[in-house]
Amino acid sequence: MWVVMSAAEREQFLAGVHVGVLSAAVGTAGRTLAVPVWYSYQPGGLLTVLTGRRSRKAAVIRAAGRSGVCVQDDSPPYRYVSVEGPVVAEEEPGPGERPNNTQ
């Protein structure tokens, strides 16, 4: 059964604790990078991907200038939210934003 979430439900879902899958184009050969990432989101704000500045993922999304993130709940009722858009900023995370194992 397909259930569409309202905008408020999507915001609430994204604000929860989930692992997202980041995807971005790699170069011009039609290749795509898709990797799990920790992210942060506050309703009404920007989705922030948490990764090391020198990681391959950071280099790929920096070069592509845009990316997508799909966040899912693998427990019934199965739900997911997919977002995509331009890279808006690149910043060092504060101490409270940094997960224990940043790649």
Side-chain angles (χ1 to χ4, degrees):
M1 179 176 174
W2 184 262
V3 177
V4 177
M5 286 188 248
S6 68
E9 289 169 326
R10 290 190 303 269
E11 297 252 327
Q12 182 180 8
F13 182 81
L14 280 175
V17 177
H18 304 281
V19 174
V21 175
L22 171 92
S23 62
V26 179
T28 58
R31 294 182 20 220
T32 303
L33 174 73
V35 292
V37 292
W38 287 108
Y39 73 92
S40 172
Y41 180 74
Q42 296 296 317
L46 297 173
L47 186 132
T48 302
V49 173
L50 306 173
T51 190
R53 185 179 293 259
R54 291 183 302 271
S55 70
R56 179 167 184 246
K57 334 174 230 218
V60 167
I61 60 176
R62 189 180 304 118
R66 59 186 307 109
S67 66
V69 175
C70 182
V71 178
Q72 70 165 11
D73 183 355
D74 61 0
S75 303
Y78 305 113
R79 302 172 296 161
Y80 76 93
V81 172
S82 182
V83 297
E84 63 89 19
V87 174
V88 174
E90 185 177 344
E91 302 171 2
E92 285 294 324
E97 297 175 307
R98 195 179 305 249
N100 291 335
N101 184 13
T102 302
Q103 298 234 4

